[in-house]
Amino acid sequence: MTFPRLLALCALLALGACARLAEVGRAPEFQSPVNGNEVFAMSTTPLPVARATPGPAPSLWRAGRQSLLGDRRASERGDILTVVIEIDDSASISNATDRGRSGSESMALPQFLGLPQVIDQRLPEGASLAEAVSGSGSSSSSGSGSVRRNEELTLRVAATVTEVLGNGALRIEGTQEVRVNFEIRELLVSGYVRPEDISRQNEITYDRIAGARISYGGRGQISDMQQPRYGQQVADIILPF
């Protein structure tokens, strides 16, 4: 790496450190939802897909979603529904291999019409055809591996319909931020759902969301302590050993 590039890298790291130093002693800030997709979907009117038709004649019976027996499940852009996340997965995988091999080879000519004795006299001192060739070898290998995973997560988050696709599927996005002292726990969920999979309680489980993206993490002092420092991360990437 050339000196100018190294200097630029050091400058970037210094700027990042200065930005972090500005947060010392302060709680992490919430991300404003005003400019998010959820508020945009609720505050704007989508373009009509067809020319509006005249409504029925006035009547005492009130039709539509706001009526007594109307379907109030989310179906249009800007509607809100509840996503239920109940993950309780466990997996255990183990395997083992063991292999071994050994061999031994030897060849000698102690007697063959007296020729070995004649040849031994002309060989260097210590050499003899009585034990001409002798070899042995062995190899062994063994391996074992195991994977154990146990995940349990129970969450509920309100999501907003941000788009109605041409096939009727709904694109949903939901965010939730909770700040406790100097730590923010944030939950993000997005994906595509079918209107018929939404229950009468206007809820849908995570396993019925296509292309589901669920993120549960945090920002703050505790999360910072759980992450290695920038220098250590750079060293882990660059160092080949």
Side-chain angles (χ1 to χ4, degrees), residues 99-159:
R99 184 184 66 178
R101 182 181 63 181
S102 62
S104 177
E105 300 290 341
S106 62
M107 184 183 71
L109 294 173
Q111 299 290 336
F112 187 71
L113 301 176
L115 294 177
Q117 288 74 12
V118 175
I119 296 175
D120 286 347
Q121 295 177 359
R122 299 184 179 183
L123 293 177
E125 183 178 358
S128 174
L129 289 179
E131 296 180 357
V133 177
S134 178
S136 64
S138 63
S139 65
S140 63
S141 64
S142 61
S144 62
S146 63
V147 175
R148 294 175 180 262
R149 183 171 61 87
N150 189 4
E151 298 175 348
E152 184 175 354
L153 185 65
T154 302
L155 297 169
R156 298 170 68 92
V157 59

Side-chain angles (χ1 to χ4, degrees), residues 41 46 65 73-80 160-164 170:
R65 301 175 59 185
R73 294 179 296 180
S75 60
E76 300 177 358
R77 194 176 78 164
D79 291 346
I80 297 176
T160 305
V161 178
T162 59
E163 184 181 0
V164 180
L170 309 177

Side-chain angles (χ1 to χ4, degrees), residues 8-22 230:
L9 178 61
C10 294
L12 290 176
L13 293 178
L15 289 176
C18 292
R20 297 290 296 278
L21 289 175
Y230 291 140

Side-chain angles (χ1 to χ4, degrees), residues 29-239:
E29 298 293 337
F30 286 111
Q31 294 182 357
S32 176
V34 175
N35 298 324
N37 292 333
E38 299 174 73
V39 176
F40 178 79
M42 290 186 288
S43 59
T44 60
T45 303
L47 296 175
V49 296
R51 181 177 299 178
T53 56
S59 173
L60 295 177
W61 170 256
R62 184 178 182 182
R65 301 175 59 185
Q66 302 299 327
S67 64
L68 180 63
L69 302 178
D71 187 0
R72 305 196 180 193
R73 294 179 296 180
S75 60
E76 300 177 358
R77 194 176 78 164
D79 291 346
I80 297 176
L81 72 160
T82 301
V83 178
V84 181
I85 305 171
E86 294 181 351
I87 300 176
D88 189 2
D89 294 337
S90 61
S92 178
I93 302 174
S94 63
N95 55 63
T97 59
D98 190 2
R99 184 184 66 178
R101 182 181 63 181
S102 62
S104 177
E105 300 290 341
S106 62
M107 184 183 71
L109 294 173
Q111 299 290 336
F112 187 71
L113 301 176
L115 294 177
Q117 288 74 12
V118 175
I119 296 175
D120 286 347
Q121 295 177 359
R122 299 184 179 183
L123 293 177
E125 183 178 358
S128 174
L129 289 179
E131 296 180 357
V133 177
S134 178
S136 64
S138 63
S139 65
S140 63
S141 64
S142 61
S144 62
S146 63
V147 175
R148 294 175 180 262
R149 183 171 61 87
N150 189 4
E151 298 175 348
E152 184 175 354
L153 185 65
T154 302
L155 297 169
R156 298 170 68 92
V157 59
T160 305
V161 178
T162 59
E163 184 181 0
V164 180
L165 303 184
N167 61 350
L170 309 177
R171 184 176 185 271
I172 63 172
E173 290 187 16
T175 61
Q176 184 185 87
E177 293 186 354
V178 180
R179 185 169 64 191
V180 180
N181 296 334
F182 289 87
E183 183 75 11
I184 282 184
R185 308 306 295 175
E186 55 184 3
L187 172 62
L188 309 176
V189 59
S190 64
Y192 301 88
V193 302
R194 297 186 305 175
E196 54 267 27
D197 289 336
I198 303 175
S199 67
R200 296 292 298 181
Q201 290 75 29
N202 199 31
E203 296 179 349
I204 189 168
T205 56
Y206 80 100
D207 56 346
R208 294 182 179 271
I209 303 177
R213 298 294 183 268
I214 301 172
S215 173
Y216 183 64
R219 293 181 287 112
Q221 296 179 354
I222 297 177
S223 300
D224 288 344
M225 294 301 296
Q226 293 177 341
Q227 296 294 327
R229 300 293 87 190
Y230 291 140
Q232 184 177 355
Q233 296 182 25
V234 173
D236 290 340
I237 296 174
I238 296 177
L239 296 179

